Amino acid sequence: MKLYLLLIPITLMPYALLFSLYCVFIDHYIIENIFCSNALLLLLALLIFVLIAFVCTLIFTVISIKKENNSRRLAFANMLIKIIHMPAYIVIFVLGVLFFMTIFTFAFSIFFVLFDFAAIFMTGLIGLAANSVEHRKGETGRVFAVINSILQFVYCADVVSAIMVFTRSRKQIK
C-alpha cells in the first residue's frame, strides 16, 4: 500500500500548474515573498515538481509491473487519477484557449499543451502497468490489453479506457 504514495505527485501535477498561474496572476504574495518577484524561479520549481512526479511514476510503474498481483487496485488507482485530473484539464483548456487569443500570452498556451502531454504520458504509464498485470494474470486477452495500453496515451480516450479496464478487472473478481 505504501507503493501508492508514489502517485501523490502525479495526482497533484495539473493542480500545481494552476496554483502557479494563481500565484503569478492573482495573488502576488507568494511570488513576492518566496520567489523574490521572479516568475522564472516559480517556473523552475514547477519543472522540478514535474521531474519528481515523473521519477515517482516511473518507479511506481516498474515496481507494479514486476511485483503487483492486484490488477484491480492498479486499475482503480489509474482511473482515480485520471478522474481527479479532469477538472484541472478543463480549466487548463479554457485558459489555453483564452491565452491563445492574444499575442502576448501565446507562449502560455504552448506551455499548457506540453504540460498536458507530460501529464497524460505519466498517467499512461500507470495504465500500462495495470494492463500489463491484468494480461499477465490472464484476466484479459492480448488484444484488449494492447488496445487499452495504447488508449492510455490518447487524450480523452484515456479516461474511457481507464474506466473500461477497471470495470473489466472488477468483473473478473466476481
Side-chain angles (χ1 to χ4, degrees):
M1 197 65 182
K2 292 178 186 177
L3 177 67
Y4 289 90
L5 292 176
L6 290 171
L7 297 178
I8 291 174
I10 185 60
T11 305
L12 298 176
M13 196 174 103
Y15 294 99
L17 174 65
L18 294 177
F19 181 71
S20 299
L21 290 172
Y22 173 78
C23 291
V24 169
F25 291 114
I26 297 173
D27 187 11
H28 300 289
Y29 179 79
I30 293 174
I31 201 161
E32 288 173 358
N33 294 324
I34 295 176
F35 296 105
C36 303
S37 297
N38 190 350
L40 292 178
L41 289 177
L42 180 65
L43 180 64
L44 179 65
L46 183 64
L47 291 177
I48 290 171
F49 185 77
V50 169
L51 184 63
I52 290 169
F54 178 71
V55 169
C56 288
T57 303
L58 203 58
I59 291 170
F60 176 84
T61 302
V62 170
I63 292 174
S64 295
I65 289 174
K66 287 187 176 185
K67 295 184 179 180
E68 184 67 48
N69 291 323
N70 192 342
S71 60
R72 182 174 183 237
R73 195 179 323 168
L74 273 174
F76 179 72
N78 183 40
M79 181 184 71
L80 187 64
I81 289 171
K82 289 182 184 287
I83 290 173
I84 288 172
H85 281 183
M86 285 175 63
Y89 284 152
I90 292 169
V91 172
I92 290 170
F93 176 76
V94 170
L95 288 174
V97 169
L98 291 174
F99 286 154
F100 196 71
M101 291 181 185
T102 66
I103 191 74
F104 302 111
T105 55
F106 183 79
F108 283 106
S109 297
I110 295 170
F111 182 73
F112 291 166
V113 168
L114 295 175
F115 194 86
D116 283 345
F117 283 152
I120 290 171
F121 176 74
M122 288 185 237
T123 58
L125 290 175
I126 299 166
L128 182 69
N131 285 314
S132 173
V133 170
E134 276 189 1
H135 178 65
R136 186 176 64 218
K137 288 176 62 179
E139 294 175 359
T140 61
R142 180 179 303 218
V143 174
F144 181 83
V146 169
I147 289 173
N148 281 299
S149 294
I150 292 169
L151 289 177
Q152 292 295 319
F153 298 98
V154 178
Y155 191 68
C156 292
D158 61 341
V159 177
V160 175
S161 175
I163 293 170
M164 285 175 42
V165 169
F166 175 68
T167 55
R168 181 84 175 241
S169 69
R170 225 172 89 190
K171 288 178 184 175
Q172 294 297 329
I173 291 175
K174 292 182 180 181

